Amino acid sequence: MHFVPESGERKLPDPLYTLDGDRVAAVEQWRQKRRPEIVELYRTFVFGREPLQRPSTLHFHVETTPGMMNGAAVRKQVEIRYEGSGGEGSIKLLLFIPTNRTKPSPLFLLINNRGLEHMDPERENVSPFWPAETILSQGFAAAVFNNADVDPDEHDDFQNGVHGIFDSKSEGRSPDAWGTIAAWAWGACRVMDYLETDSDIDSADVTLVGHSRGGKTALWAGAIDERFARVISNNSGCTGAALARGKKGETIGQINEKFPHWFNENYKWFKDREYELPFDQHMLLALMAPRPVYVTSATEDLWADPESEFLSLVYAEPVYKLYGLEGLGIKRMPLPDSPMHSRAMGYHLRTGKHDMTEYDWLQFITFASTSQ
Ligand code: GCU
């Protein structure tokens, strides 16, 4: 393995060397060889292999209500339905589109992992976790789906959700079979299948946002589906943005013990063996390139480990440079509440707890607006 020399004791694998030891010096080589290699490593060792992409049974049912948000929005409630050998399922997408748009709207899509109270279709309960009114006031459409529609967030031995619908019952589970995060990411891709059919939305300008376990999911969805124009990973920590090597707070051993359903079986082997991973999370971030990527931390979120989240972006930067894009251009953690970004990469450390707030969203909106 080739290591990034300046990564010191963390001994990070160099994203720009192939497994055969060839140095990647051109975008073409990254795209043809190294990028697919890294995606494959993540399928094999972390998130698992999804048994299918778009199901042939996929179809959409849309209900449209104008005059929402005091006339500022059109609401669409979309059911994204699918069927497999184990039954049928659906994702309920809630979408608000600015009424006075002159062209298809760019959109923020949130993978909601915090329950239905954050996505009130009537807008009687307005949550800072998904401030749809603010998003619309800045000229974007806002969409959200609940991760549990796709797959329940519990270890049910993969009997329910899309696992129950699509996994083969005759063969046993293989050690690289998809886990629940891969299932949620698959759900985000199916939402994108719908968005591509909606002429009110600019499907080439969709920013995918996720918080924590949803932030891990957003990164994996961005890796396997390049239709997402931008990815924002908020407080995503272990197996999200944060480097595994040298990480403080949650470890691979702990995350697999508490949430065995999130990842595949192979990943469990890396408990206390972070230094044997043939990759680290800067390489997951690098899979977003050349699309803009934004990472956040919170000062009190030590479980996620702000510094390991920040450094991941720093070490992903060489891949963006290969594309001729600027990264953050700094190597030390910025001060709290001092957001910084280039057109391609962004970061902020918010004062406070593990959460996603209106402050975070305002930075995402600025970032998306400047990288359009
Ligand atoms: C737990 C878990 C984290 C995860 C977080 C969340 O704390 O250990 O890995 O990011 O839940 O999703 O809020």
Side-chain angles (χ1 to χ4, degrees):
M1 228 186 303
H2 279 260
F3 297 103
V4 178
E6 76 264 26
S7 65
E9 288 184 355
R10 292 204 190 224
K11 291 200 86 182
L12 296 177
D14 193 327
L16 292 178
Y17 276 90
T18 66
L19 292 174
D20 300 336
D22 295 332
R23 183 164 159 72
V24 177
V27 165
E28 214 37 38
Q29 219 179 339
W30 166 259
R31 288 211 60 78
Q32 302 296 330
K33 173 91 184 167
R34 183 57 170 154
R35 189 182 189 283
E37 204 170 81
I38 298 171
V39 173
E40 182 59 21
L41 287 171
Y42 272 94
R43 279 211 169 93
T44 307
F45 293 116
V46 184
F47 297 110
R49 212 169 289 286
E50 62 278 29
L52 80 172
Q53 307 294 328
R54 181 190 171 119
S56 57
T57 54
L58 194 75
H59 61 283
F60 314 115
H61 180 265
V62 187
E63 265 176 48
T64 305
T65 315
M68 299 298 296
M69 297 181 178
N70 297 321
V74 176
R75 180 182 71 196
K76 291 191 185 177
Q77 290 169 291
V78 184
E79 260 204 66
I80 299 168
R81 297 177 181 158
Y82 38 81
E83 230 180 283
S85 57
E88 50 184 49
S90 71
I91 302 169
K92 287 166 216 58
L93 181 73
L94 175 62
L95 172 56
F96 289 101
I97 306 167
T99 305
N100 57 1
R101 63 190 181 281
T102 51
K103 53 182 176 50
S105 296
L107 171 124
F108 278 99
L109 170 62
L110 172 66
I111 302 165
N112 177 26
N113 55 296
R114 286 210 168 165
L116 298 177
E117 64 269 32
H118 298 285
M119 43 186 284
D120 177 10
E122 305 308 328
R123 309 314 289 155
E124 276 157 18
N125 297 314
V126 174
S127 163
F129 190 71
W130 187 56
E133 286 72 7
T134 306
I135 298 171
L136 263 78
S137 72
Q138 300 303 309
F140 291 85
V144 64
F145 72 96
N146 192 23
N147 62 348
D149 282 359
V150 190
D151 206 37
D153 192 0
E154 62 194 19
H155 193 29
D156 60 1
D157 213 13
F158 304 103
Q159 295 303 306
N160 301 302
V162 288
H163 287 104
I165 296 172
F166 296 114
D167 289 1
S168 152
K169 306 288 173 301
S170 50
E171 299 152 32
R173 258 183 92 72
S174 70
D176 68 350
W178 61 339
T180 293
I181 288 186
W184 295 336
W186 178 93
C189 303
R190 303 297 64 85
V191 170
M192 180 51 107
D193 292 340
Y194 164 74
L195 293 171
E196 286 189 323
T197 69
D198 189 329
S199 57
D200 291 332
I201 300 299
D202 180 0
S203 61
D205 194 344
V206 173
T207 303
L208 184 62
V209 182
H211 163 69
S212 206
R213 64 199 71 186
K216 307 180 211 289
T217 309
L219 290 173
W220 182 234
I224 58 173
D225 194 336
E226 295 186 82
R227 292 176 297 173
F228 293 108
R230 255 175 245 98
V231 176
I232 294 177
S233 190
N234 189 77
N235 298 190
S236 59
C238 183
T239 324
L243 295 168
R245 287 167 174 78
K247 186 182 179 304
K248 303 198 179 94
E250 187 174 32
T251 62
I252 292 178
Q254 287 165 324
I255 203 168
N256 277 302
E257 187 158 326
K258 184 121 190 259
F259 305 99
H261 56 296
W262 282 0
F263 309 104
N264 69 18
E265 264 320 292
N266 285 335
Y267 196 41
K268 319 254 175 318
W269 186 86
F270 290 95
K271 173 182 164 126
D272 300 326
R273 290 178 176 155
E274 282 79 2
Y275 288 84
E276 293 182 55
L277 286 165
F279 50 83
D280 209 319
Q281 300 306 102
H282 60 312
M283 286 159 60
L284 180 61
L285 293 184
L287 296 178
M288 307 309 128
R291 297 161 298 157
V293 62
Y294 197 104
V295 169
T296 73
S297 309
T299 52
E300 292 168 37
D301 191 10
L302 305 181
W303 187 236
D305 188 5
E307 188 172 32
S308 294
E309 292 172 327
F310 167 73
L311 287 176
S312 211
L313 266 179
V314 169
Y315 292 110
E317 201 170 303
V319 177
Y320 280 82
K321 290 235 164 94
L322 193 68
Y323 279 95
L325 295 165
E326 288 298 315
L328 294 177
I330 51 164
K331 301 244 182 277
R332 301 268 293 275
M333 286 278 281
L335 292 172
D337 310 316
S338 327
M340 54 190 320
H341 63 87
S342 63
R343 284 173 70 88
M345 302 181 104
Y347 178 80
H348 72 251
L349 169 65
R350 173 179 47 74
T351 298
K353 293 192 302 236
H354 182 70
D355 198 0
M356 189 159 67
T357 67
E358 180 105 12
Y359 173 87
D360 297 313
W361 278 100
L362 290 173
Q363 314 317 315
F364 305 160
I365 291 167
T366 304
F367 181 61
S369 307
T370 51
S371 61
Q372 267 175 331

